[in-house]
Amino acid sequence: MKQSQAISNTAAFFPNYFKKIGLGLVILAIALVISAKFIAFEIVEEQKDFYKIIFFNVLILGLFFVAWARDKFEDEMTMQIRMKAIGFTFMTSVFYIIFRPLVDLILKEPVAQMSAHELMMFMLFMYIIFYKLQKRSA
Amino acid sequence: MKNIIKVERAKQNMTQQDLAEKIGVSRQTINSIESQKYIPSTVLSLKIAKVFNIKVEELFELEEDDFL
């Protein structure tokens, strides 16, 4: 396969406009939480977990769109930067999983098992941050 | 790894954007290659050399650090 074909075959990435959609979803998720706290509508205790899942899913979907949307111009350098960002994300996630319970212990908070949502949010945030930083310094 | 892309561009009165469009990369990539922040692939190196009509070995030069 020619390299130009390999790069153009980035079917795994969303179109560029998905960045705006993702950002919109993130803002929506945050707005939902804020409105639930301050606008008076009663959330039944049993439904709290359900709304929490909805919030996390919308937030994660938004971050995923932002992270996985193509740049306006993708070439071999952006692909290399993406790979590096994925590597850094994986490493920091491993450290996060290992050391986060220690932070809970130090802060004398109950040590709870990390949820998949929390880990996924952390990974997506880290990937976006690493990618943006590396692109700026390139 | 050193390169003389900037010199060759100047000889041919070419901007970074012009070169980027000819070889199908972004202007930022050309800038990164010239400032030695990014090492291009073999294919890209050959494309750049072809645009300037010189050999790849004349365009890029290994430094001592590259052997470490």
Side-chain angles (χ1 to χ4, degrees):
Chain A
M1 188 191 295
K2 289 179 186 174
Q3 191 175 20
S4 56
Q5 283 179 340
I7 291 169
S8 67
N9 281 347
T10 49
F13 293 111
F14 299 115
N16 182 253
Y17 61 81
F18 267 70
K19 277 192 185 170
K20 290 182 184 165
I21 295 172
L23 203 57
L25 286 173
V26 169
I27 292 168
L28 176 68
I30 295 169
L32 280 172
V33 168
I34 293 171
S35 61
K37 273 204 176 261
F38 295 111
I39 294 174
F41 70 85
E42 295 282 325
I43 297 176
V44 180
E45 193 62 38
E46 291 85 14
Q47 289 180 331
K48 266 192 179 170
D49 284 342
F50 173 73
Y51 283 112
K52 214 172 167 182
I53 289 171
I54 297 282
F55 159 71
F56 274 122
N57 284 354
V58 171
L59 187 62
I60 286 167
L61 188 65
L63 288 172
F64 181 53
F65 284 165
V66 171
W68 235 247
R70 292 169 61 94
D71 281 350
K72 284 183 183 165
F73 201 105
E74 290 272 346
D75 58 14
E76 60 175 55
M77 190 178 81
T78 57
M79 295 304 281
Q80 191 186 81
I81 291 171
R82 283 188 187 276
M83 291 309 297
K84 277 186 184 173
I86 287 169
F88 280 129
T89 299
F90 183 76
M91 277 197 304
T92 50
S93 301
V94 169
F95 282 117
Y96 184 68
I97 287 176
I98 290 170
F99 290 110
R100 193 182 161 289
L102 292 175
V103 173
D104 285 339
L105 277 172
I106 290 166
L107 295 174
K108 292 179 184 167
E109 286 184 13
V111 180
Q113 195 170 12
M114 192 188 305
S115 69
H117 283 111
E118 186 185 340
L119 180 61
M120 190 49 57
M121 255 176 37
F122 177 82
M123 289 179 77
L124 286 168
F125 264 123
M126 285 292 111
Y127 171 80
I128 291 166
I129 288 166
F130 282 136
Y131 180 69
K132 295 288 179 200
L133 283 175
Q134 293 217 29
K135 253 204 114 183
R136 273 200 195 162
S137 63
Chain B
M1 189 169 69
K2 290 191 288 188
N3 66 76
I4 57 166
I5 294 172
K6 199 170 183 177
V7 172
E8 291 298 318
R9 266 200 311 111
K11 281 183 188 174
Q12 299 196 19
N13 205 24
M14 205 185 285
T15 63
Q16 288 183 340
Q17 185 62 39
D18 292 337
L19 178 59
E21 281 170 15
K22 282 181 191 270
I23 60 173
V25 295
S26 66
R27 190 207 60 79
Q28 189 187 12
T29 301
I30 299 297
N31 189 41
S32 299
I33 295 170
E34 286 182 3
S35 51
Q36 298 170 47
K37 286 179 185 171
Y38 174 69
I39 298 172
S41 65
T42 310
V43 171
L44 197 59
S45 305
L46 286 165
K47 281 184 183 178
I48 298 170
K50 193 165 184 181
V51 166
F52 295 133
N53 207 24
I54 60 172
K55 291 183 181 177
V56 174
E57 296 83 5
E58 291 168 34
L59 200 55
F60 296 98
E61 187 187 327
L62 285 171
E63 294 175 286
E64 276 187 31
D65 295 348
D66 295 320
F67 287 98
L68 293 173

